[in-house]
């Protein structure tokens, strides 16, 4: 290792790796320091008993669809040569006792409209207007995300006011407010439209409408895709860009301090290479792929308050639990027909009931189970299983307080109880599932806190809540009060793979200007 680089990346999540790879491709020497044994954070896979399991990715949007900012990153880094996106046939299947027969939502807004109108014929017109608002919101954002010439603007002049109105009218609205406007008291239809809400949060009253419209709308209109071989393939490709251009990426290095000069400018980092070994390396640019609260602890105490001030009052996002199953036979043999299936329990009658889901895991399983999102990686060519059945997973909302005060023994026992409860639930839906399980491993908000170092085990950076001011949007910045220190992660914008990579790209652009 050298003593000086052009840029140092703290952490190897997708945001930091994107920022580092873009600077490396621009001709700068980059050093990545990762505290864990492997790169990628949540964007990775792990192996147990000869099986490969996905840590986080269920599906993402295809780069280049709509206003997806991943497209520019993929072009700049030539990632398409290394990454294969596998299409997912349908968006999701929803199962609930209050719904009756399962409902499958396809891809394509017209097809979604037809499927919903067939099940809710009295709401046909409201469904059309609701989906059109999602479509117009996406179109408006795509306009601002791309460069257009004069002829384009003339040709689209008639539609633009409607698109912009769709964007502006609900700039400060919550998901609940928009659903209420279109569907009134039809709680079942609203529950169907929010069936996979756990991916984004657990309170529709506090979920920003536009965050939902862009994320959910991207899947409904453009379809979902999985990265063949697992999300770790994307991580590996970004690390390869950095190394191929003369940079270094190292694991087992925990950054403990961001070094600053007398003017308060970032000049390098101090990190641990072992239990007692400490080293320092300098650079004029530091990318922090970490939560602001964690970065603040790396700064000299006089700098911390100013650094944290922009984030005051912002809550971290929801956390998630997941159970990874290895099966002795394909899940399709047991009756599973969809890649993604949402299992809503009978006690859930309205989207407001999602608020009661996460606290359930704070005790042993009882009469109520939380909603589950089940994913069968065997429904597609996932590349996770070379021999034998592909893995199967279930996910739902979680909170750190459910687990943080438990001893290791009690923690393991509680997880085992919940694995048993989830397995029985899956067996009731698809008889024979329990007998096919050969192993099951559960990750909780506590697991994510320990591995990712995020407050509360947050998975999406800050919670996507409605902004406080019209046209402001939630605070989204890569800049910090420390010159030379940039936030390159989901914490600089929005969560998910797209949000993290977008945050990294914004940080790279900002850092390249003075360089």
């Amino acid at each position: 290792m050298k003593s000086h680089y052009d840029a140092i990346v703290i952490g190897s999540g997708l945001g930091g790796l994107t920022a580092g790879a873009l600077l490396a491709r621009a001709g700068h020497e980059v050093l990545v320091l990762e505290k864990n044994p492997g790169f990628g954070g949540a964007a990775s896979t792990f192996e147990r008993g000869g099986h490969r399991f996905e840590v986080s990715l269920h599906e993402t949007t295809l780069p280049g669809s709509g206003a997806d900012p991943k497209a520019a990153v993929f072009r700049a880094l030539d990632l398409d040569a290394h990454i294969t996106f596998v299409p997912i046939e349908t968006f999701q299947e929803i199962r609930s006792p209050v719904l009756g027969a399962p409902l499958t939502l396809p891809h394509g807004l017209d097809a979604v409209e037809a499927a919903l109108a067939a099940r809710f014929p009295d709401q046909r017109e409201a469904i059309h207007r609701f989906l059109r608002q999602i479509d117009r919101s996406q179109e408006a954002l795509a306009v601002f995300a791309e460069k257009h010439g004069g002829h384009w603007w003339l040709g689209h002049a008639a539609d633009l006011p409607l698109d912009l109105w769709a964007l502006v009218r609900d700039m400060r609205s919550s998901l609940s407010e928009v659903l209420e406007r279109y569907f009134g008291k039809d709680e079942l239809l609203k529950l169907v439209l929010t069936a996979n809400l756990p991916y984004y949060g657990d309170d529709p009253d506090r979920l920003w409408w536009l965050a939902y419209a862009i994320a959910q709308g991207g899947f409904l209109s453009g379809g979902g895709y999985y990265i063949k071989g697992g999300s770790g393939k994307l991580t590996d490709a970004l690390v390869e860009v950095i190394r191929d251009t003369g940079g270094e990426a190292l694991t087992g290095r925990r950054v403990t301090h961001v070094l600053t000069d007398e003017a308060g400018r970032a000049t390098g980092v101090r990190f641990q290479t072992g239990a007692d070994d400490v080293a320092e390396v300098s650079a004029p640019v530091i990318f922090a792929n970490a939560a602001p609260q964690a970065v603040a602890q790396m700064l000299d105490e006089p700098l911390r308050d100013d650094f944290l001030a922009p984030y005051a009052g912002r809550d971290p996002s929801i956390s998630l639990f997941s159970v990874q199953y290895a099966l002795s036979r394909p899940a399709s043999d047991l009756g599973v027909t969809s890649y993604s299936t949402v299992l809503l329990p009978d006690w859930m009658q309205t989207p407001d009931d999602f608020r009661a889901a996460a606290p359930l895991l704070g005790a042993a399983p009882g009469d109520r189970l939380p909603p589950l999102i089940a994913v069968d990686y065997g429904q597609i060519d996932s590349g996770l299983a070379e021999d034998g059945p592909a893995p199967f997973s279930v996910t739902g909302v979680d909170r750190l307080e459910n687990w943080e005060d438990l001893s290791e023994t009690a923690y393991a026992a509680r997880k085992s109880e919940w694995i048993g409860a989830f397995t029985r639930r899956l067996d009731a839906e698809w008889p024979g599932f329990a007998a096919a399980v050969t192993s099951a491993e559960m990750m909780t908000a506590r697991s994510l806190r320990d591995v990712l170092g995020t407050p509360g085990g947050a998975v999406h950076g800050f919670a996507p809540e409605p902004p406080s001011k019209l046209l402001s949007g939630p605070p989204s910045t890569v800049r910090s009060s420390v010159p030379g220190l940039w936030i390159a992660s989901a914490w600089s914008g929005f969560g998910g793979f797209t949000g993290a990579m977008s945050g990294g790209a914004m940080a790279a652009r900002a850092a390249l200007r003075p360089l």
Side-chain angles (χ1 to χ4, degrees), residues 149-238:
H151 291 294
W152 187 94
W153 289 102
L154 288 173
H156 292 77
D159 293 331
L160 285 176
L162 294 175
D163 293 342
L164 295 177
W165 172 241
L167 193 68
V168 172
R169 178 176 61 170
D170 289 309
M171 180 62 71
R172 298 179 58 192
S173 297
S174 70
L175 176 58
S176 290
E177 290 170 333
V178 175
L179 290 173
E180 182 74 17
R181 184 170 72 241
Y182 282 103
F183 305 115
K185 300 302 181 182
D186 193 335
E187 299 301 326
L188 181 57
L189 176 52
K190 290 192 284 188
L191 187 60
V192 166
L193 290 168
T194 59
N196 65 330
L197 188 67
Y199 280 140
Y200 314 120
D202 64 349
D203 187 349
D205 289 346
R206 298 181 63 191
L207 181 64
W208 191 28
W209 155 254
L210 285 179
Y212 169 90
I214 299 308
Q216 191 85 338
F219 289 118
L220 291 175
S221 59
Y225 291 79
Y226 184 70
I227 296 174
K228 187 171 183 177
S231 58
K233 294 292 185 181
L234 180 54
T235 293
D236 293 344
L238 292 169

Side-chain angles (χ1 to χ4, degrees), residues 46-95:
F46 67 94
E47 295 192 9
R48 293 285 190 277
H51 298 274
R52 185 191 304 168
F53 298 95
E54 171 64 59
V55 170
S56 66
L57 181 61
H58 286 177
E59 55 188 293
T60 186
T61 51
L62 190 68
S65 59
D68 191 333
K70 294 196 301 293
V73 176
F74 269 68
R75 287 194 301 269
L77 300 176
D78 194 28
L79 294 178
D80 285 326
H82 306 276
I83 304 299
T84 300
F85 285 93
V86 180
I88 298 166
E89 185 175 352
T90 59
F91 178 48
Q92 63 186 15
E93 180 182 340
I94 304 167
R95 296 188 173 208

Side-chain angles (χ1 to χ4, degrees), residues 96-151:
S96 167
V98 299
L99 180 63
L103 173 62
T104 298
L105 292 182
H107 290 141
L109 290 178
D110 289 342
V112 172
E113 180 179 336
L116 290 173
R119 184 62 68 94
F120 302 94
D122 293 342
Q123 294 281 16
R124 182 181 301 274
E125 179 59 27
I127 291 168
H128 173 78
R129 290 187 290 109
F130 176 79
L131 294 177
R132 187 61 182 135
Q133 168 131 356
I134 287 179
D135 189 34
R136 288 198 179 279
S137 298
Q138 290 199 324
E139 289 174 350
L141 286 180
V143 167
F144 292 111
E146 300 174 358
K147 294 182 179 180
H148 299 289
H151 291 294

